[in-house]
Amino acid sequence: MLVLTRKLGQSITLGDDIQVTVLAVEGDRVSLGVEAPRAVRIFRSELLAGTKEVNREAASSAMIHLKEITKKDL
Amino acid sequence: MQLATTRFGNIEIDEQKILHFNQGLPGWESEKRFILISNEETEPFHWLQSLDGASLALAVINPYFLFPDYCPAVPERVFNELNVHDENDLLLLTVVVIPQDFENMTTNLAAPILINAQKNLGLQVILENTEYSLRCPIYEAVRSLVGGGTAHAGVDA
């Protein structure tokens, strides 16, 4: 992992056209601004790991009882 | 055509309805072809079945039936990737986890699956700046939706 130290207002550039800027620092929260071409996917890292985990669980979902759950009461 | 699946056995599918997920799904980036399986008995749940991996099937649901106010901010690049101009031409589904104790079932509102049914394209997008949950409980909402009073659930658990 490359570690860079930035102050408020400073930025780092990734490749040719992605820029990440430190916009605000409040306690342990850092606000980052990202400028990138529209085609670049940007999201909170934990959401990718989390989605993979949820997808895995979904793939081994219990199939039984679905009909019990969706059965309409008469 | 015939498709062998782990969950549903051998099923007949309409080749015209095969969906192409050019990026696969997070966790299965190399599985690019899926089919949506629906069954009136298990509505509002559907299944996204992989054609390339017989054992890969994800339960999905239309979250708007459960949460009419759901309002995900879909990034513009997704419209290009799915070859649509209008958000309304897309079908949006969210992945459902059904554990053994199914009353704890949840859906992933932070990463919906979007499908362009006209062009047979699909992808799962991780929302960029979202407060929506990866694991939003849905059991109560599902029971309300199917008009259930006292749940029959719990039988043979």
Side-chain angles (χ1 to χ4, degrees), chain A residues 63, chain B residues 2-13 37 49 54:
Chain A
M63 171 110 172
Chain B
Q2 283 281 309
L3 180 68
T5 74
T6 304
R7 216 177 257 277
F8 310 103
N10 279 342
I11 56 171
E12 185 64 37
I13 64 161
I37 298 176
Q49 168 72 51

Side-chain angles (χ1 to χ4, degrees), chain B residues 25-46:
Chain B
L25 290 177
W28 293 283
E29 289 77 9
S30 54
E31 310 227 7
K32 317 257 184 177
R33 298 184 309 152
F34 290 86
I35 191 110
L36 200 58
I37 298 176
S38 300
N39 181 336
E40 216 177 274
E41 282 185 308
T42 52
E43 271 180 16
F45 298 98
H46 309 276

Side-chain angles (χ1 to χ4, degrees), chain B residues 3-81:
Chain B
L3 180 68
T5 74
T6 304
R7 216 177 257 277
F8 310 103
N10 279 342
I11 56 171
E12 185 64 37
I13 64 161
D14 181 354
E15 282 172 65
Q16 305 293 331
K17 302 235 167 109
I18 294 176
L19 301 170
H20 294 273
F21 280 61
N22 293 327
Q23 293 154 29
L25 290 177
W28 293 283
E29 289 77 9
S30 54
E31 310 227 7
K32 317 257 184 177
R33 298 184 309 152
F34 290 86
I35 191 110
L36 200 58
I37 298 176
S38 300
N39 181 336
E40 216 177 274
E41 282 185 308
T42 52
E43 271 180 16
F45 298 98
H46 309 276
W47 293 86
L48 195 64
Q49 168 72 51
S50 169
L51 266 72
D52 301 313
S55 59
L56 176 57
L58 302 183
V60 292
I61 203 164
N62 182 332
Y64 296 106
F65 288 153
L66 306 177
F67 312 115
D69 296 333
Y70 180 54
C71 191
V74 177
E76 206 181 299
R77 61 168 176 86
V78 168
F79 298 133
N80 295 331
E81 284 172 33

Side-chain angles (χ1 to χ4, degrees), chain A residues 29 37-74, chain B residues 7-8 26-29 41-43 45 47 57-58 76-77 95-98 100 102 105 108 111 124 126 128-130 134-135 143 146 148-150 152 155-156:
Chain A
R29 295 172 90 94
R38 292 222 172 99
V40 177
R41 287 175 276 157
I42 306 168
F43 42 77
R44 297 175 182 163
S45 302
E46 65 272 19
L47 288 186
L48 177 59
T51 291
K52 286 185 180 180
E53 194 184 307
V54 169
N55 279 358
R56 260 198 302 279
E57 286 173 36
S60 40
S61 273
M63 171 110 172
I64 50 175
H65 304 302
L66 252 195
K67 289 184 184 166
E68 290 298 313
I69 298 164
T70 57
K71 184 161 62 183
K72 292 174 175 43
D73 286 353
L74 295 171
Chain B
R7 216 177 257 277
F8 310 103
W28 293 283
E29 289 77 9
E41 282 185 308
T42 52
E43 271 180 16
F45 298 98
W47 293 86
L58 302 183
E76 206 181 299
R77 61 168 176 86
V95 174
V96 176
V97 172
I98 307 171
Q100 279 297 123
F102 52 78
M105 61 172 59
N108 183 352
Q124 183 168 21
I126 297 174
E128 287 181 351
N129 193 22
T130 187
L134 288 167
R135 296 170 190 280
R143 289 299 302 163
V146 300
T150 322
H152 289 273
V155 177
D156 305 326

